[in-house]
Amino acid sequence: MLLLANFASAKPILKISRHAENPLLAIEPIFPGDLKTVTIPIKRARNLIVVEAQVDSVAGNFILDTGAPYLVLNTTYFRNMPKIGDIDANGVNGSSNGTFRTEVKDFFLGLDLQYKRIKADVCDLSSIENSKKLKVLGIMGTQLFRKMAITIDLFHSVIYLHKLDSKGEIPEAQRTFRNPDMRTSFKYINDVIFMKGMIAEKPLWFVFDTGAESNLLANDVPKAVLKTMHTINRSTIVGVGGPGNETAYANFDKLIIGNYQFTNNRILLTNLTHLSRAYGYSMDAILGYDFFGRGVFTINFVKKEFEMYIYNH
């Protein structure tokens, strides 16, 4: 899910609906030789994570989005790809038609990691390009990483892609941090990361989404949770498929994820009904940049574990 927002004027939210079949079920990343970890530089488009990748002979910027399931290509540059099916794009306000499915012969992530013959969704990403003033070839979703672990270090502007051992562990010599401040297990449902957390002692389900420039909270959560929110600003999210939803930008003190209590938190309160529908599973909130920008984090998709080393805690 891509949430592109500043708090004076929020930008579109995009969510690609999942296919009736699982087109990437057999996807296998190809690590070169004996390489255990691939290191890729990160570029930033405000709060979005951007990396260099190549589709067949076309190279450019791709956004890393753990709220999206698959590889998504921008129709501006890939409109002539072979069409093998129609799909829909869903946003916070509804749906938008016109996307289609294709097959990519070769996909290269950085200089070293390769995928062969993978399916991709093709749709209009011009709103992202316009808001960021950046040429965006596509979006990389979670299924590209589901057989590995990834570590993202925003401070040093790198992402590490880890080849796991037979036990699903990152080899000790390849770990970027060994004593995480925060650790939690997660559920991987419909290609989306769901974490259990608490606000105001109320258990909530959070989606972890690197494509979200802000944390989001559903405006229908228990009143005890809403009472802890202190409104800073109000805005509107203009989404794919309909008029905008009013949001409130707020801060609150205590957020518990796993074994760690986060303080001085920021979040957007809005209607998340359409996104829950698109995810195919009920959720209460989304953890975006306001959360993961606090440190270095690792997602182990095989063991379904999330770890974070937190700056300045």
Side-chain angles (χ1 to χ4, degrees):
M1 184 276 287
L2 234 345
L3 169 63
L4 306 173
N6 59 37
F7 305 113
S9 176
K11 301 299 181 181
I13 287 179
L14 172 67
K15 177 72 179 67
I16 303 298
S17 61
R18 55 203 72 261
H19 307 148
E21 56 185 311
N22 192 339
L24 298 184
L25 189 60
I27 189 170
E28 290 281 354
I30 303 171
F31 284 78
D34 295 328
L35 198 63
K36 302 296 184 184
T37 296
V38 171
T39 304
I40 301 174
I42 288 174
K43 293 184 284 187
R44 299 280 293 279
R46 295 183 61 181
N47 294 337
L48 295 178
I49 299 169
V50 181
V51 299
E52 183 88 6
Q54 181 174 320
V55 174
D56 297 332
S57 61
V58 182
N61 298 316
F62 282 75
I63 295 170
L64 175 64
D65 184 1
T66 61
Y70 312 124
L71 177 65
V72 180
L73 304 178
N74 192 343
T75 187
T76 301
Y77 313 107
F78 298 100
R79 65 176 74 250
N80 295 322
M81 294 287 283
K83 184 176 180 180
I84 60 175
D86 294 312
I87 53 176
D88 291 332
N90 285 284
V92 71
N93 299 312
S95 63
S96 177
N97 297 322
T99 64
F100 66 92
R101 195 185 310 173
T102 190
E103 183 177 80
V104 173
K105 181 180 178 182
D106 290 293
F107 181 73
F108 296 90
L109 186 47
L111 299 175
D112 297 309
L113 197 70
Q114 181 183 12
Y115 300 83
K116 298 188 73 68
R117 294 205 167 278
I118 59 175
K119 301 295 191 302
D121 300 335
V122 183
C123 69
D124 182 10
L125 302 180
S126 60
S127 60
I128 301 170
E129 293 188 299
N130 293 338
S131 67
K132 298 304 172 189
K133 297 179 173 54
L134 177 73
K135 182 178 179 181
V136 176
L137 295 189
I139 298 167
M140 297 184 302
T142 59
Q143 283 238 355
L144 291 169
F145 311 106
R146 71 182 187 88
K147 293 199 172 182
M148 65 176 79
I150 63 174
T151 297
I152 297 178
D153 186 341
L154 297 178
F155 184 77
H156 293 100
S157 299
V158 290
I159 177 173
Y160 302 98
L161 308 177
H162 305 286
K163 186 176 184 179
L164 303 174
D165 63 21
S166 59
K167 296 181 180 179
E169 300 279 3
I170 301 173
E172 191 65 22
Q174 306 298 319
R175 293 182 64 87
T176 56
F177 58 91
R178 290 173 174 80
N179 296 300
D181 298 301
M182 174 267 193
R183 179 186 285 117
T184 188
S185 59
F186 62 82
K187 292 186 176 182
Y188 188 53
I189 304 172
N190 294 336
D191 311 310
V192 177
I193 297 168
F194 288 84
M195 298 180 186
K196 199 70 171 289
M198 294 183 68
I199 300 176
E201 300 183 353
K202 298 294 183 181
L204 302 172
W205 279 107
F206 295 81
V207 166
F208 178 76
D209 189 351
T210 59
E213 292 199 86
S214 169
N215 297 331
L216 284 89
L217 179 67
N219 53 18
D220 59 354
V221 294
K223 290 182 179 179
V225 174
L226 295 176
K227 285 180 179 179
T228 67
M229 303 293 147
H230 306 283
T231 301
I232 301 170
N233 197 358
R234 294 187 181 274
S235 184
T236 300
I237 292 179
V238 182
V240 176
N245 282 329
E246 183 179 350
T247 69
Y249 182 47
N251 63 23
F252 65 102
D253 188 38
K254 295 179 181 179
L255 165 66
I256 297 175
I257 304 290
N259 61 326
Y260 194 85
Q261 179 174 287
F262 296 84
T263 58
N264 193 24
N265 303 284
R266 296 173 294 177
I267 204 159
L268 276 172
L269 281 70
T270 190
N271 188 333
L272 298 181
T273 302
H274 288 293
L275 284 176
S276 287
R277 202 169 295 150
Y279 286 132
Y281 195 84
S282 178
M283 53 91 174
D284 303 296
I286 293 173
L287 296 173
Y289 178 82
D290 289 333
F291 173 77
F292 66 78
R294 294 183 167 202
V296 183
F297 62 91
T298 296
I299 308 169
N300 187 324
F301 284 90
V302 172
K303 296 199 73 175
K304 298 179 179 60
E305 292 179 346
F306 182 96
E307 297 179 338
M308 179 181 281
Y309 173 81
I310 300 164
Y311 300 130
N312 302 321
H313 64 93

